[in-house]
Amino acid sequence: MAHAALLHCSQSSRSLAACRRGSHYRAPSHVPRHSRRLRRAVVSLRPMASSTAQAPATAPPGLKEGIAGLYDESSGLWENIWGDHMHHGFYDSSEAASMADHRRAQIRMIEEALAFAGVPASDDPEKTPKTIVDVGCGIGGSSRYLAKKYGAQCTGITLSPVQAERGNALAAAQGLSDQVTLQVADALEQPFPDGQFDLVWSMESGEHMPDKRKFVSELARVAAPGGTIIIVTWCHRNLDPSETSLKPDELSLLRRICDAYYLPDWCSPSDYVNIAKSLSLEDIKTADWSENVAPFWPAVIKSALTWKGFTSLLTTGWKTIRGAMVMPLMIQGYKKGLIKFTIITCRKPGAA
């Protein structure tokens, strides 16, 4: 789950036509701890250019170290309160969820993403993924779940040494050391050969990527021919045909959120679709699941206001406290229709 970021977005231009919920696209067939005392990068907040021919984005100074430091600091708190899945839960629309529902909802998010992408069920072993990469793996909640579900080998990557160490310890405790390995690595420069993974999984890590095209390109590179790519991420809304930028009040709200969260290059769902098309990826699908995650942020705020949550928060550090203070702005962004919780799935073309 994306807990933090500074925003340094690409030059704005007109976005693609708005994606409808569940729209389906097809492309032609033929892809030691970091310092806690970081100097904050200069913030520039504009929507990402929709043209996939744009120059590669440059990460703000200290961005990777900032992300790593935040997760080094906050992951223990999250695990203590919410468990090992560091992402939104999936709820029925307008569902009034209790605290007991949230673990179930986080598992449901994984299952809904797999179903949306058309990943074969675990009772069809001939077609299920055998090798999986979890890009932005946190402490490996998805990695362990997918490894157990499919009997697969799963490799997770994170910028946080603390997360990698904790995730490997959890895998060992669950008897999964021979199936699950977490390591420190950059999602934009993945240390894997081409075509290694049947399933490429990114659950709420794309919002941290300063170069969205490079991000998707790396996911496609490490995917095996015919492999499935699943991206679940935060986006800003699609621009209307008459717009060239988000509105000033929308930019202001995002800027306030991004001062607390290390999130470069917000983009729209249409931008992701455009990038996937440009890489000749196939069976491109996207959907807006914002309504289905609506109960999540109120629940996180509620958990922070418990005695356990409050006292735990005070022992973490300023990065985590600052993130907690802007959680109500995430709710505001969803209610305004500005922030879109988006799934994008596609498939790498099979071998010729």
Side-chain angles (χ1 to χ4, degrees):
M1 173 182 177
H3 282 276
L6 291 173
L7 192 67
H8 178 271
C9 290
S10 308
Q11 189 172 8
S12 63
S13 70
R14 179 170 299 179
S15 285
L16 299 173
C19 296
R20 292 187 296 271
R21 179 179 173 85
S23 295
H24 190 171
Y25 302 82
R26 292 188 181 272
S29 182
H30 307 81
V31 232
R33 290 198 185 187
H34 299 283
S35 170
R36 303 291 180 86
R37 302 176 64 183
L38 298 168
R39 181 173 59 86
R40 295 176 66 190
V42 176
V43 176
S44 170
L45 190 111
R46 291 170 293 181
M48 174 183 175
S50 61
S51 169
T52 57
Q54 70 202 58
T58 302
L63 176 66
K64 290 197 296 184
E65 295 83 359
I67 295 169
L70 178 74
Y71 285 118
D72 281 353
E73 181 181 290
S74 64
S75 294
L77 169 64
W78 183 268
E79 183 185 3
N80 187 38
I81 302 296
W82 278 78
D84 61 344
H85 290 277
M86 302 181 68
H87 58 78
H88 284 71
F90 188 101
Y91 309 83
D92 292 325
S93 298
S94 304
E95 178 180 358
S98 68
M99 286 299 293
D101 293 328
H102 297 306
R103 169 74 178 187
R104 173 187 59 80
Q106 288 175 310
I107 297 299
R108 183 179 174 189
M109 175 63 73
I110 297 174
E111 291 292 345
E112 291 285 347
L114 293 169
F116 185 81
V119 179
S122 55
D123 59 0
D124 190 358
E126 293 299 317
K127 297 181 180 179
T128 56
K130 306 298 189 296
T131 53
I132 301 169
V133 62
D134 184 357
V135 179
C137 61
I139 59 173
S142 291
S143 300
R144 290 184 296 278
Y145 183 86
L146 294 169
K148 286 188 286 188
K149 178 180 177 69
Y150 294 117
Q153 298 292 318
C154 188
T155 301
I157 60 173
T158 172
L159 290 174
S160 166
V162 170
Q163 288 188 333
E165 181 179 1
R166 177 57 179 158
N168 285 327
L170 289 170
Q174 296 174 24
L176 292 170
S177 292
D178 60 338
Q179 288 180 256
V180 177
T181 303
L182 273 56
Q183 65 187 78
V184 176
D186 185 347
L188 301 185
E189 298 289 343
Q190 296 183 37
F192 310 119
D194 295 357
Q196 181 164 339
F197 300 103
D198 302 325
L199 175 60
V200 178
W201 176 270
S202 172
M203 176 61 71
E204 296 188 56
S205 64
E207 53 269 25
H208 281 305
M209 308 301 167
D211 187 337
K212 295 297 189 290
R213 180 178 175 82
K214 175 64 173 173
F215 170 54
V216 179
S217 179
E218 272 293 274
L219 300 183
R221 182 185 68 78
V222 301
T228 299
I229 299 168
I230 299 177
I231 304 168
V232 181
T233 189
W234 307 358
C235 294
H236 67 65
R237 66 173 177 84
N238 290 307
L239 300 184
D240 292 333
S242 61
E243 293 180 306
T244 58
S245 175
L246 295 173
K247 299 172 183 177
D249 64 312
E250 294 174 323
L251 293 172
S252 177
L253 177 59
L254 289 183
R255 184 176 294 110
R256 293 168 66 193
I257 292 170
C258 292
D259 273 345
Y261 295 139
Y262 290 83
L263 301 175
D265 284 8
W266 285 71
C267 69
S268 70
S270 291
D271 291 317
Y272 269 113
V273 170
N274 195 33
I275 292 170
K277 284 182 174 181
S278 75
L279 295 170
S280 298
L281 297 171
E282 299 176 340
D283 297 331
I284 304 166
K285 298 192 294 182
T286 184
D288 177 4
W289 284 355
S290 300
E291 290 186 6
N292 299 105
V293 301
F296 179 78
W297 284 98
V300 174
I301 292 173
K302 185 176 180 180
S303 69
L305 295 177
T306 63
W307 179 251
K308 180 181 180 181
F310 181 71
T311 55
S312 298
L313 183 63
L314 292 179
T315 65
T316 55
W318 173 241
K319 291 184 180 71
T320 308
I321 293 170
R322 189 177 67 212
M325 291 171 62
V326 302
M327 288 190 293
L329 299 182
M330 289 295 299
I331 298 174
Q332 184 179 344
Y334 277 122
K335 287 183 175 180
K336 288 171 63 74
L338 169 61
I339 298 174
K340 297 295 184 180
F341 190 88
T342 304
I343 181 169
I344 307 100
T345 67
C346 51
R347 185 171 53 84
K348 186 173 180 176

